[in-house]
Amino acid sequence: MPPPETINVTMTTEQLRAVRESVEAGEYASTSEVLRDAVRLWQRQRREDAERLEVIRARIRRSLDDPRPALSLEEVDAELEKLFAQAEKDAARA
């Protein structure tokens, strides 16, 4: 593992106050630890966002690659009407 590097970070007064309060409360040992934790959370969020985006892209790919013919607006409306009617029947039985 390479040695840690020192950087300068500019924060708002409110952000710095929150960091310092967290350290003073014993939640973290130092401001550096707070910022490292924040970066880890940021990295995790970016990975999760990338995973969600890949799922969306895969769905779009499957849709574009679907060999079934496209439906007209009338066909979509008719299919939705059938689905809604079935859902109403199912709800009435329950």
Side-chain angles (χ1 to χ4, degrees):
M1 176 186 253
E5 294 184 38
T6 300
I7 62 169
N8 291 319
V9 177
T10 302
M11 303 176 82
T12 66
T13 303
E14 294 82 20
Q15 291 169 328
L16 186 55
R17 182 180 308 117
V19 168
R20 287 181 173 153
E21 286 174 357
S22 186
V23 172
E24 290 168 6
E27 297 170 20
Y28 292 91
S30 67
T31 55
S32 292
E33 189 179 310
V34 174
L35 296 178
R36 284 191 296 271
D37 192 36
V39 169
R40 283 190 293 272
L41 291 171
W42 171 73
Q43 289 172 315
R44 185 178 74 202
Q45 183 65 50
R46 286 176 50 98
R47 279 192 307 274
E48 291 171 358
D49 289 348
E51 290 168 2
R52 279 192 293 277
L53 185 56
E54 187 51 40
V55 167
I56 292 169
R57 286 180 174 145
R59 287 180 182 172
I60 291 170
R61 255 185 261 113
R62 283 194 308 273
S63 179
L64 292 173
D65 294 342
D66 190 335
R68 294 176 292 183
L71 299 176
S72 69
L73 182 57
E74 291 78 19
E75 291 170 317
V76 171
D77 283 340
E79 188 62 30
L80 287 173
E81 286 298 325
K82 284 194 279 186
L83 291 171
F84 288 135
Q86 184 61 48
E88 287 177 359
K89 286 180 188 176
D90 294 344
R93 290 184 201 144

